[in-house]
């Protein structure tokens, strides 16, 4: 019996070593440009600037601190990947999959991310200024303190996302689905939210100075102590909307 146990342990050790070697060889082939796929690989800090990785499978990979500046990740699968502090500035992310990815502090300045999927992703403190994310999916994503200023996010979905302290200055959010969003103390100055769905959103103490909310659904939304000075609220749906202590468009304070 003891010999059988020892043999089994030895066999498992051999298999583990073989798998580790295979993983290293896969990563080496990927870094050398001989393969686009490296799921689960350790590629932390990899320099992948201007690489064509369209359609690549990098799901679950460790890409913390990696550089993808001006690369193409169009249609790539990065679901569950660790992209903490990664550089994705000016990348092509069209229809890429970043669902459940760890992207805290990642840089996505001027990225082309139309219809990309960030469902459940951690984008805390991500720098996404001027991103183009039309039709993107960010449901349940954490965008706390993220910078989305001047972004193009028309028709994107943010259902139940977190945007506390986020910067959406001059961001275009036409027809966006923001149902159930939690965005306290967020910056929406001059943002275009026309025809957006903000029903049941929590927007306490957020700033909507000069924002356009025309035609938006504000049903059951909480704008308590928000700043709506000079904002456009024409044709909005305000069933059970809460404005307690908010500064209204005419500078009056709502009771």
């Amino acid at each position: 019996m003891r010999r059988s146990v020892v043999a089994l342990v030895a066999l498992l050790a051999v298999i583990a070593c073989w798998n580790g070697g295979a993983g290293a060889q896969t990563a080496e082939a990927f870094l050398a440009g001989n393969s686009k796929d490296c799921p689960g690989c350790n590629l932390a800090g990899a320099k992948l600037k201007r690489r064509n990785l369209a359609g690549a499978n990098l799901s679950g990979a460790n890409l913390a601190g990696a550089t993808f500046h001006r690369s193409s990740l169009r249609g790539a699968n990065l679901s569950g990947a660790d992209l903490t502090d990664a550089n994705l500035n000016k990348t092509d992310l069209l229809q890429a999959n970043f669902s459940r990815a760890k992207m805290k502090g990642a840089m996505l300045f001027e990225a082309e991310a139309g219809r990309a999927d960030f469902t459940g992703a951690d984008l805390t403190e991500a720098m996404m200024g001027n991103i183009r994310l039309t039709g993107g999916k960010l449901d349940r994503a954490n965008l706390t303190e993220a910078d989305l200023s001047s972004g193009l996010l028309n028709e994107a979905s943010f259902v139940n996302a977190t945007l506390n302290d986020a910067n959406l200055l001059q961001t275009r959010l036409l027809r966006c689905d923001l149902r159930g969003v939690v965005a306290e103390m967020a910056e929406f100055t001059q943002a275009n939210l026309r025809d957006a769905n903000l029903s049941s959103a929590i927007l306490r103490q957020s700033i909507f100075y000069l924002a356009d909310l025309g035609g938006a659904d504000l049903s059951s939304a909480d704008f308590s102590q928000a700043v709506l000075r000079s904002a456009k609220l024409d044709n909005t749906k305000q069933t059970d909307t809460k404005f307690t202590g908010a500064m209204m468009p005419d500078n009056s304070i709502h009771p």
Side-chain angles (χ1 to χ4, degrees):
M1 180 67 178
R2 185 175 179 181
R3 289 182 179 179
S4 298
V5 172
V6 172
L8 178 59
V9 171
L11 177 61
L12 291 173
V14 170
I15 292 173
C17 290
W18 185 86
N19 285 338
Q25 290 176 355
T26 302
E28 185 177 336
F30 174 83
L31 292 171
N34 297 323
S35 172
K36 285 186 177 182
D37 299 332
C38 205
C41 290
N42 183 2
L43 301 166
K47 307 300 181 183
L48 303 166
K49 185 176 181 179
R50 297 180 185 274
R51 283 277 295 270
N52 180 8
L53 296 169
N57 182 3
L58 294 165
S59 59
N62 179 4
L63 292 156
T67 300
F68 291 93
H69 184 75
R70 290 188 181 277
S71 292
S72 174
L73 286 162
R74 181 177 295 209
N77 181 7
L78 293 104
S79 59
D82 186 349
L83 290 146
T84 303
D85 295 324
N87 183 346
L88 293 136
N89 288 340
K90 299 185 178 183
T91 47
D92 180 352
L93 307 177
L94 283 167
Q95 296 182 296
N97 183 0
F98 291 93
S99 59
R100 304 181 311 283
K102 299 175 183 178
M103 304 182 74
K104 183 176 180 179
M107 296 180 286
L108 295 98
F109 180 75
E110 288 190 356
E112 180 58 73
R115 301 183 301 285
D117 187 354
F118 292 91
T119 301
D122 181 3
L123 288 154
T124 304
E125 299 176 3
M127 291 167 275
M128 306 167 72
N130 289 291
I131 192 171
R132 292 177 290 279
L133 192 46
T134 301
K137 292 182 63 178
L138 298 107
D139 298 342
R140 302 182 304 282
N142 187 351
L143 292 137
T144 300
E145 296 185 23
D147 180 10
L148 291 152
S149 57
S150 300
L152 177 62
L153 288 88
N154 296 340
E155 301 177 348
S157 180
F158 290 84
V159 176
N160 296 326
T162 301
L163 286 155
N164 292 330
D165 294 297
N167 181 8
L168 294 106
L169 173 70
Q170 298 181 338
T171 301
R172 286 160 287 178
L173 297 152
L174 278 76
R175 300 176 296 281
C176 275
D177 191 347
L178 293 142
R179 287 174 294 159
V181 157
V182 179
E184 299 191 70
M185 296 186 288
E187 175 66 78
F188 288 94
T189 293
Q190 295 184 314
N192 191 335
L193 290 142
R194 201 159 191 88
D195 297 320
N197 189 343
L198 289 150
S199 59
S200 300
I202 298 174
L203 302 154
R204 292 188 288 257
Q205 300 183 59
S206 289
I207 300 174
F208 291 87
Y209 176 62
L210 289 172
D212 187 351
L213 290 150
D217 186 350
L218 310 180
S219 301
S220 300
D222 187 353
F223 285 87
S224 297
Q225 299 181 321
V227 176
L228 291 150
R229 181 184 175 190
S230 301
K232 295 180 181 178
L233 297 176
D234 56 288
N235 300 315
T236 54
K237 186 176 181 180
Q238 297 185 20
T239 305
D240 296 323
T241 306
K242 186 184 292 186
F243 292 105
T244 306
M247 180 181 285
M248 303 305 287
D250 60 1
N251 291 346
S252 65
I253 304 298
H254 197 281

Coordinates of all heavy atoms in Angstrom, one line a residue, residues 30 33 36 46-54 66-73 87-92:
F30 N 4.2 32.5 -27.3 CA 3.4 33.7 -27.5 C 4.2 35.0 -27.5 O 4.1 35.8 -28.4 CB 2.4 33.8 -26.3 CG 1.6 35.0 -26.3 CD1 0.4 35.2 -27.1 CD2 2.0 36.1 -25.5 CE1 -0.3 36.3 -27.1 CE2 1.2 37.3 -25.5 CZ 0.1 37.4 -26.2
G33 N 5.9 35.7 -30.6 CA 5.0 36.0 -31.8 C 4.7 34.8 -32.6 O 4.1 35.0 -33.7
K36 N -0.9 33.4 -31.0 CA -1.7 34.4 -30.4 C -2.4 34.0 -29.1 O -3.0 34.8 -28.4 CB -2.8 34.8 -31.4 CG -2.3 35.7 -32.6 CD -3.5 36.1 -33.4 CE -3.1 37.0 -34.6 NZ -4.3 37.5 -35.3
A46 N 4.6 42.0 -19.7 CA 5.0 41.8 -21.1 C 4.9 43.0 -22.0 O 4.0 43.8 -21.8 CB 4.1 40.7 -21.7
K47 N 5.8 43.2 -22.9 CA 5.8 44.3 -23.8 C 5.2 43.8 -25.2 O 5.8 43.1 -25.9 CB 7.3 44.8 -24.1 CG 8.0 45.1 -22.8 CD 7.4 46.2 -22.0 CE 8.2 46.5 -20.7 NZ 7.5 47.5 -19.8
L48 N 4.0 44.2 -25.4 CA 3.2 43.8 -26.6 C 2.7 44.9 -27.4 O 1.7 44.9 -28.0 CB 2.0 42.9 -26.1 CG 2.4 41.7 -25.2 CD1 1.2 41.1 -24.5 CD2 3.1 40.6 -26.1
K49 N 3.5 46.0 -27.4 CA 3.2 47.2 -28.2 C 3.0 46.9 -29.7 O 3.9 46.2 -30.3 CB 4.2 48.3 -28.0 CG 3.9 49.6 -28.6 CD 5.0 50.6 -28.2 CE 4.7 52.0 -28.8 NZ 5.8 53.0 -28.4
R50 N 1.9 47.4 -30.3 CA 1.7 47.3 -31.7 C 1.6 45.8 -32.2 O 1.7 45.6 -33.4 CB 2.7 48.0 -32.5 CG 2.8 49.5 -32.3 CD 3.8 50.2 -33.1 NE 4.0 51.6 -32.8 CZ 3.2 52.6 -33.3 NH1 2.3 52.3 -34.2 NH2 3.4 53.9 -33.0
R51 N 1.2 44.9 -31.3 CA 1.1 43.5 -31.7 C -0.3 43.3 -32.3 O -1.3 43.8 -31.8 CB 1.3 42.6 -30.5 CG 2.7 42.4 -30.1 CD 3.4 41.3 -31.0 NE 2.8 40.0 -30.8 CZ 3.3 39.2 -29.8 NH1 4.3 39.5 -29.0 NH2 2.7 38.0 -29.7
N52 N -0.4 42.4 -33.3 CA -1.7 42.0 -33.8 C -2.2 40.8 -33.1 O -1.8 39.7 -33.3 CB -1.6 41.7 -35.3 CG -3.0 41.3 -35.9 OD1 -4.0 41.4 -35.2 ND2 -3.0 40.9 -37.1
L53 N -3.1 41.0 -32.1 CA -3.6 39.9 -31.3 C -5.1 39.8 -31.5 O -5.9 39.3 -30.6 CB -3.3 40.2 -29.8 CG -1.8 40.2 -29.5 CD1 -1.6 40.7 -28.1 CD2 -1.2 38.8 -29.6
A54 N -5.6 40.1 -32.7 CA -7.0 40.0 -33.0 C -7.5 38.6 -32.9 O -6.8 37.7 -33.4 CB -7.3 40.5 -34.4
A66 N 1.2 44.8 -18.2 CA 1.6 44.6 -19.6 C 1.3 45.8 -20.5 O 0.4 46.6 -20.1 CB 0.8 43.4 -20.2
T67 N 2.0 45.9 -21.6 CA 1.9 47.1 -22.5 C 1.3 46.6 -23.8 O 1.9 45.8 -24.5 CB 3.2 47.8 -22.7 OG1 3.7 48.2 -21.5 CG2 3.1 49.0 -23.6
F68 N 0.1 47.1 -24.1 CA -0.5 46.8 -25.4 C -0.7 48.1 -26.3 O -1.5 48.1 -27.2 CB -1.9 46.2 -25.2 CG -1.9 44.9 -24.5 CD1 -2.0 44.7 -23.1 CD2 -1.9 43.7 -25.3 CE1 -2.1 43.5 -22.6 CE2 -1.9 42.5 -24.7 CZ -2.0 42.3 -23.3
H69 N 0.0 49.1 -26.0 CA -0.2 50.4 -26.7 C -0.3 50.2 -28.2 O 0.6 49.6 -28.8 CB 1.0 51.3 -26.3 CG 0.9 52.7 -26.9 ND1 0.0 53.6 -26.4 CD2 1.5 53.3 -27.9 CE1 0.1 54.8 -27.1 NE2 1.0 54.6 -28.0
R70 N -1.4 50.7 -28.8 CA -1.6 50.7 -30.2 C -1.7 49.2 -30.8 O -1.6 49.0 -32.0 CB -0.6 51.5 -31.0 CG -0.8 53.0 -30.8 CD 0.1 53.8 -31.7 NE 0.0 55.2 -31.5 CZ -0.9 56.0 -32.1 NH1 -1.9 55.4 -32.8 NH2 -1.0 57.3 -31.9
S71 N -1.9 48.3 -29.9 CA -2.1 46.9 -30.4 C -3.5 46.6 -30.9 O -4.4 47.4 -30.6 CB -1.7 45.9 -29.3 OG -0.3 45.9 -29.1
S72 N -3.8 45.5 -31.5 CA -5.1 45.1 -31.9 C -5.5 43.9 -31.1 O -4.9 42.8 -31.2 CB -5.2 44.8 -33.4 OG -6.5 44.2 -33.7
L73 N -6.6 44.1 -30.3 CA -7.2 43.0 -29.5 C -8.6 42.8 -30.0 O -9.4 42.3 -29.2 CB -7.1 43.3 -28.0 CG -5.7 43.1 -27.4 CD1 -5.6 43.9 -26.1 CD2 -5.3 41.7 -27.2
N87 N -1.3 48.8 -19.8 CA -1.4 50.0 -20.8 C -2.1 49.5 -22.0 O -1.6 48.8 -22.9 CB 0.0 50.5 -21.1 CG 0.0 51.7 -22.0 OD1 -1.1 52.0 -22.6 ND2 1.1 52.4 -22.1
L88 N -3.4 49.9 -22.2 CA -4.2 49.6 -23.4 C -4.5 50.9 -24.1 O -5.5 51.0 -24.8 CB -5.4 48.9 -23.0 CG -5.2 47.5 -22.4 CD1 -6.1 47.3 -21.1 CD2 -5.5 46.4 -23.4
N89 N -3.7 51.9 -24.0 CA -3.9 53.2 -24.7 C -4.0 53.0 -26.2 O -3.1 52.3 -26.8 CB -2.9 54.2 -24.3 CG -3.0 54.7 -22.9 OD1 -4.1 54.6 -22.3 ND2 -2.0 55.3 -22.3
K90 N -5.0 53.6 -26.8 CA -5.1 53.6 -28.3 C -5.1 52.3 -28.9 O -4.7 52.1 -30.0 CB -4.0 54.5 -28.9 CG -4.0 55.9 -28.4 CD -3.0 56.8 -29.1 CE -3.1 58.3 -28.6 NZ -2.1 59.2 -29.3
T91 N -5.6 51.3 -28.2 CA -5.7 49.9 -28.7 C -7.1 49.7 -29.4 O -8.0 50.4 -29.2 CB -5.6 48.9 -27.6 OG1 -6.5 49.3 -26.5 CG2 -4.2 48.8 -27.1
D92 N -7.1 48.7 -30.3 CA -8.3 48.3 -31.0 C -8.9 47.2 -30.1 O -8.4 46.0 -30.1 CB -8.0 47.8 -32.4 CG -9.2 47.4 -33.2 OD1 -10.3 47.3 -32.5 OD2 -9.1 47.1 -34.4

